[in-house]
Amino acid sequence: MATPTLEPDVKPVKKAAGKQPLHYRFILATYRIFAIAALYAVLFGVIAYAFVMGFYAVNTTWAAPVILTATDEKSLDFREKLITSQQSIEDLKVDAAKMDAGLKEMRSHRDALLALEPEIASAIDRERQHNRVDAPELTALDRQKLADDAQTEQVLAQLDGMQANIQKDLASGLITKADAASQLAALNQTATSYTDSRIAQVLLTDTVLDKTTLGSTTLEALEKQAELRSEAAQLDVSIQVADQELTEDNRQISRLHDAIVTAKQSPYYLNATGQNLLNFAFVPYDNRASATPGSPIYDCYLNMIFCRDVGTVVTRFPGEEQALHPIFKTQIRGFLIQMDLRHAESAKSKTLFLGRKPLLF
Amino acid sequence: MAPLLMWLIMVLCLVISLGKYLFGLILRLAHPSVKIRKDYTFEPSVSVLMPCYNEGKTVYETMESISKSNYPADKFEIIAQDDCSADDSYAWMLKAQRDFSNIRIRVGRNKENCGKARTVCNALQHSTAEIIISIDSDCIFHPNAMRELTASFSEPKVGSVGGRVGVRNPNESVITAIQTLVYYAAFELYKIPENWTRSVCCISGCLFAIRRELLLEIEPAIRARHWFGVPVNQGEDRFLTHQTLLRGFGTYINTDALCWTTVPNKLSVLFKQQLRWRRSIVRDFFFTLRSLPRHVFRLHPNTVLTLVLTPLGAIIALLVVVNSLLSDPMAWAGPMPMITALAIAALLSWWIKKRSVHETIAHPLVFGAYIAWAIASSLFLTPLALCTMDSADWGTRVKTLEEVSVGNPNS
């Protein structure tokens, strides 16, 4: 098979640039100037970006200013919680006062009840002693009465005969009607006296029974005593419960009070209640060594160079805060500080530096 | 308003890109019309144009692989054109001409270095074949490649056909492994929806077949390409594909036509290659915008969207990455990008292992490094491309005489 070699190409390409129209040359020159500038800008941007990233990765003195306003969500939330806590304290105090008064009342009532108990006991004792003395005497009298009544009953059995004799005497004219009526009334009087005597005897027997056995009076007294003791025991329980509740209320009041005292040290409280505009800054834990009260604060151009002293650190707040890293935008933990800034504008900077200038100029 | 618009375009680009991969997968599995009707009895005469510049012995291997083609030897020829290589490439071409006498090989040399596109045009002057196949001189071709390409021209409306480019050195380094996955996904998934509508927007110059009349029609435009008077020698494959589409012909990638290329194994070389490609994309974008109504009325919407949104996506990606690095610099370091990259790598490498054993990736997890590449390329390639549109530098094959290791082509 033929395998020829080609002659050198017959259509060499001429340099197009040699026949460039003027406007092409102008556009090309402009384009090249723009392109060089743009590429240098890109290069500068990349180097600057890498430097900023590296700088903030190793720097441990930066702090991010935080502008808190009274209408700030956290401040509003904080105020709301503070007011709620104070209201709770007031409610608890009222409750505690009521409970305390109730407790006092219950205690005095209990004391009064307990004071009654010895009186009841001594009354019962007294009654028992009287009974012990009276009961044998009354028993003897009761027996005597029974015997007397038996004799009287025998005498009364003879009265029916006597009444018949009076009738016979009246019928035979031995006695007048007036005499007969007088004699019959006397007989009736005797029977009535006997009936009274029986009644007295029954009552006496009943009294003896009262004196010799546990009577209803004593039982009532004992019931009263039991009721009194029960009521005292119930009062004891109520007093104990009320006492615990009162203690718990007082503890709650104390806790809320402590919380309010702590909260009053918070920047959000200071911000919400302060008359003047206060300046705060977030400091990550890694940078805490720089955040000591009295440390100077520097504000820098481009967040790192040509720094000036703009104030000092006033306070370091104890509570933990979480914030976004101003450069890396990652969530970081730290705390807030209060700053005394001579230049209010510095509060709007992205970052400030504590203690020293980050790049020594 | 502007950021919203930017995000909207970005989302659209992302949806279209991801949608294309997904749609490509569905079409591959379910839609028969994605595949072109191939007629293997159609055996037109073929000229394989092989421009060459500083390839050294590789050019010999390339010509050797073509000589093993199962296409009838009397139906094809190789026209090898040296673009004034500084090394011994021309000598190797002559040696191949002597050694592979079973096929017709013609070797020529430009009078002066004029770039790949014009070298192809120069080679074209010596061809009379019906189908022109332009190839890269550093690729190895499958014996079936030529037959597969010509068989695809049985559809009369198809003007250009490309092949699938595989990677010869998938496990040489992390960079080559990543490129293997990207190449495979691009050819086997991303291009499939474009195949479906016969409107592939860029056929790789590694293996590019085109009807002769069509190429002759486009040739003056190739020679006339310039950037405000500066000749343009790059991106002729994208330009040819684009011109084919604008002339009402279809374009197609036959993934059964295989060739293998050695991808860059150094970051610097890869960057230069990608920069060259990005310039082509940007140039193509400007061209598309300049004649947008013509595109809208003549081309398939799929093609227009791809032509517009691909480069627009690159520009928006640059803005998004810059914005992301400024507003949330650590976002890229989160687990999601890495998990996504590794999941894609695992899936793709499994598929490659199943379908193309030669390209099996030994360590698919290295694809995690693609995140860094994606950020770097999004950030730098587009601005650099925009600022070096007047560059004629090929980037990856520049050698001086001092650097050339002279082999022994005469042995």
Side-chain angles (χ1 to χ4, degrees):
Chain A
M1 188 167 288
T3 56
T5 301
L6 297 176
E7 288 301 310
D9 183 59
V10 291
K11 286 186 178 177
V13 174
K14 289 178 185 174
K15 288 277 180 193
K19 53 182 178 183
Q20 278 178 339
L22 190 63
H23 70 281
Y24 273 10
R25 274 188 280 174
F26 173 74
I27 291 170
L28 204 58
T30 311
Y31 166 75
R32 281 173 177 160
I33 290 166
F34 172 78
I36 288 166
L39 287 177
Y40 271 114
V42 169
L43 187 68
F44 177 77
V46 169
I47 291 169
Y49 181 80
F51 184 77
V52 169
M53 290 291 136
F55 173 82
Y56 276 95
V58 297
N59 183 275
T60 55
T61 61
W62 65 267
V66 179
I67 295 177
L68 300 175
T69 61
T71 54
D72 180 75
E73 194 182 339
K74 269 190 171 177
S75 292
L76 287 175
D77 188 42
F78 189 85
R79 285 189 76 172
E80 188 187 327
K81 281 180 181 165
L82 201 66
I83 289 167
T84 309
S85 298
Q86 280 169 338
Q87 188 60 47
S88 298
I89 286 182
E90 293 307 316
D91 290 348
L92 281 169
K93 277 181 178 172
V94 170
D95 282 353
K98 275 183 191 169
M99 210 168 283
D100 198 34
L103 206 56
K104 277 179 187 159
E105 178 58 36
M106 279 191 282
R107 281 199 174 113
S108 70
H109 184 46
R110 180 180 173 277
D111 290 346
L113 284 175
L114 290 178
L116 275 178
E117 199 187 355
E119 295 285 328
I120 293 172
S122 66
I124 291 168
D125 278 352
R126 252 193 329 270
E127 194 178 349
R128 278 178 178 164
Q129 277 173 7
H130 282 297
N131 285 349
R132 270 198 296 274
V133 174
D134 295 345
E137 197 176 336
L138 283 172
T139 306
L141 286 171
D142 190 37
R143 275 198 297 271
Q144 182 64 44
K145 183 76 177 164
L146 275 171
D148 291 348
D149 283 349
Q151 284 176 355
T152 307
E153 199 173 354
Q154 284 173 1
V155 172
L156 283 175
Q158 295 171 5
L159 287 180
D160 290 339
M162 288 173 76
Q163 197 173 358
N165 289 334
I166 291 166
Q167 291 295 339
K168 263 188 224 172
D169 289 343
L170 182 63
S172 61
L174 291 175
I175 56 172
T176 62
K177 277 186 179 181
D179 290 340
S182 174
Q183 286 174 8
L184 282 171
L187 283 177
N188 196 39
Q189 183 66 40
T190 306
T192 302
S193 296
Y194 174 67
T195 302
D196 288 343
S197 177
R198 284 294 307 272
I199 289 167
Q201 191 265 321
V202 169
L203 287 172
L204 183 62
T205 305
D206 192 48
T207 306
V208 170
L209 193 67
D210 256 2
K211 297 282 182 185
T212 53
T213 59
L214 207 58
S216 60
T217 316
T218 313
L219 279 174
E220 275 173 18
L222 285 172
E223 191 187 341
K224 288 280 177 199
Q225 188 185 33
E227 273 178 14
L228 189 142
R229 282 178 179 169
S230 169
E231 201 176 340
Q234 279 177 7
L235 274 173
D236 278 344
V237 171
S238 300
I239 287 167
Q240 197 180 355
V241 169
D243 214 16
Q244 281 175 353
E245 281 180 7
L246 186 64
T247 309
E248 190 52 43
D249 277 359
N250 286 330
R251 199 176 293 148
Q252 186 74 9
I253 289 167
S254 173
R255 275 202 295 262
L256 280 169
H257 186 71
D258 289 348
I260 288 171
V261 168
T262 309
K264 281 182 177 174
Q265 295 169 3
S266 153
Y268 301 105
Y269 177 81
L270 294 176
N271 179 60
T273 56
Q275 297 298 315
N276 300 322
L277 180 67
L278 301 176
N279 295 303
F280 303 98
F282 172 80
V283 180
Y285 283 132
D286 287 344
N287 303 357
R288 62 174 165 258
S290 314
T292 50
S295 296
I297 298 171
Y298 294 93
D299 188 9
C300 307
Y301 291 103
L302 300 173
N303 297 318
M304 63 177 73
I305 52 172
F306 304 123
C307 303
R308 58 178 179 157
D309 188 342
V310 292
T312 51
V313 176
V314 178
T315 325
R316 222 168 101 159
F317 295 105
E320 179 173 286
E321 295 285 334
Q322 292 201 345
L324 281 182
H325 192 291
I327 306 297
F328 299 147
K329 309 294 180 196
T330 49
Q331 193 80 16
I332 47 172
R333 294 163 63 194
F335 54 89
L336 288 180
I337 56 168
Q338 188 184 341
M339 303 180 295
D340 178 17
L341 292 179
R342 289 187 294 279
H343 299 87
E345 280 301 302
S346 295
K348 294 174 188 167
S349 294
K350 201 173 203 174
T351 51
L352 296 172
F353 294 89
L354 311 176
R356 60 186 165 80
K357 296 173 183 175
L359 292 174
L360 307 177
F361 64 94
Chain B
M1 185 63 190
L4 182 67
L5 189 66
M6 190 180 87
W7 277 107
L8 274 175
I9 295 171
M10 189 66 204
V11 168
L12 193 61
C13 294
L14 269 175
V15 167
I16 286 179
S17 295
L18 295 175
K20 272 185 86 171
Y21 281 108
L22 191 65
F23 193 43
L25 185 66
I26 294 166
L27 286 174
R28 262 190 77 89
L29 298 171
H31 214 291
S33 71
V34 168
K35 293 239 173 195
I36 203 166
R37 181 170 51 81
K38 289 188 271 192
D39 179 5
Y40 292 102
T41 60
F42 179 58
E43 290 180 343
S45 58
V46 172
S47 285
V48 179
L49 309 186
M50 191 186 72
C52 169
Y53 182 64
N54 286 350
E55 288 296 352
K57 195 189 174 184
T58 313
V59 73
Y60 181 85
E61 292 165 2
T62 303
M63 292 166 87
E64 184 182 20
S65 72
I66 298 169
S67 74
K68 291 175 184 170
S69 170
N70 58 19
Y71 202 71
D74 60 322
K75 291 280 182 73
F76 79 95
E77 62 179 350
I78 298 175
I79 302 175
Q81 189 78 8
D82 179 42
D83 191 20
C84 302
S85 295
D87 64 1
D88 53 356
S89 301
Y90 187 63
W92 283 111
M93 288 158 79
L94 293 173
K95 177 175 165 53
Q97 189 184 40
R98 288 194 301 275
D99 291 353
F100 309 125
S101 54
N102 61 319
I103 57 169
R104 195 150 64 102
I105 298 176
R106 290 198 278 176
V107 177
R109 197 171 203 188
N110 292 340
K111 274 186 176 176
E112 57 183 358
N113 181 271
C114 58
K116 186 187 170 189
R118 287 173 177 79
T119 305
V120 170
C121 292
N122 291 345
L124 176 66
Q125 304 308 310
H126 305 292
S127 164
T128 52
E130 296 163 77
I131 300 294
I132 306 295
I133 299 178
S134 170
I135 63 169
D136 276 0
S137 50
D138 60 347
C139 294
I140 300 299
F141 297 88
H142 192 279
N144 279 340
M146 212 178 301
R147 182 170 289 282
E148 285 291 341
L149 289 176
T150 52
S152 304
F153 281 100
S154 58
E155 281 188 13
K157 285 305 286 179
V158 170
S160 302
V161 178
R164 180 169 90 75
V165 183
V167 175
R168 283 174 79 186
N169 53 339
N171 295 308
E172 199 177 327
S173 69
V174 173
I175 297 169
T176 60
I178 291 172
Q179 287 177 90
T180 306
L181 292 170
V182 172
Y183 272 56
Y184 197 85
F187 281 101
E188 296 289 350
L189 289 178
Y190 190 78
K191 301 276 187 188
I192 301 301
E194 296 173 37
N195 257 1
W196 184 44
T197 52
R198 306 290 185 265
S199 57
V200 176
C201 289
C202 179
I203 293 173
S204 169
C206 291
L207 188 55
F208 191 113
I210 185 168
R211 293 180 193 275
R212 183 167 181 275
E213 312 85 70
L214 189 58
L215 184 55
L216 283 173
E217 195 182 324
I218 299 169
E219 187 207 346
I222 296 174
R223 288 188 185 276
R225 288 176 79 205
H226 65 91
W227 172 262
F228 294 106
V230 178
V232 173
N233 296 320
Q234 306 157 350
E236 85 295 338
D237 47 2
R238 184 175 286 275
F239 182 76
L240 271 175
T241 318
H242 201 150
Q243 291 296 325
T244 303
L245 290 167
L246 282 174
R247 281 166 172 76
F249 286 93
T251 55
Y252 182 79
I253 284 181
N254 181 352
T255 51
D256 295 326
L258 287 171
C259 76
W260 309 88
T261 188
T262 306
V263 294
N265 59 358
K266 288 180 183 167
L267 206 55
S268 57
V269 181
L270 174 69
F271 192 84
K272 285 175 182 172
Q273 183 204 54
Q274 294 294 314
L275 179 59
R276 196 178 71 229
W277 291 3
R278 189 60 60 92
R279 268 191 221 118
S280 302
I281 292 171
V282 172
R283 192 170 281 125
D284 208 45
F285 179 52
F286 288 153
F287 173 70
T288 307
L289 290 185
R290 218 169 54 207
S291 49
L292 194 60
R294 188 177 157 206
H295 282 77
V296 170
F297 290 116
R298 280 202 186 175
L299 302 185
H300 193 281
N302 183 19
T303 317
V304 181
L305 279 175
T306 307
L307 285 171
V308 173
L309 287 180
T310 306
L312 203 59
I315 293 168
I316 300 290
L318 162 71
L319 300 176
V320 169
V321 170
V322 168
N323 182 50
S324 167
L325 286 175
L326 292 175
S327 61
D328 189 0
M330 296 290 119
W332 62 274
M336 275 319 287
M338 181 61 87
I339 290 169
T340 310
L342 294 183
I344 291 169
L347 208 62
L348 272 177
S349 53
W350 167 78
W351 197 16
I352 291 173
K353 192 176 179 180
K354 204 174 162 190
R355 301 288 301 272
S356 178
V357 182
H358 298 300
E359 293 174 279
T360 302
I361 309 293
H363 304 291
L365 296 185
V366 299
F367 196 69
Y370 184 73
I371 299 163
W373 168 255
I375 292 172
S377 65
S378 299
L379 264 180
F380 300 116
L381 282 179
T382 307
L384 265 176
L386 282 167
C387 292
T388 55
M389 295 299 286
D390 58 331
S391 171
D393 181 17
W394 192 264
T396 54
R397 288 187 181 81
V398 180
K399 289 179 184 175
T400 61
L401 277 173
E402 292 75 26
E403 288 175 306
V404 173
S405 62
V406 179
N408 188 9
N410 298 318
S411 63

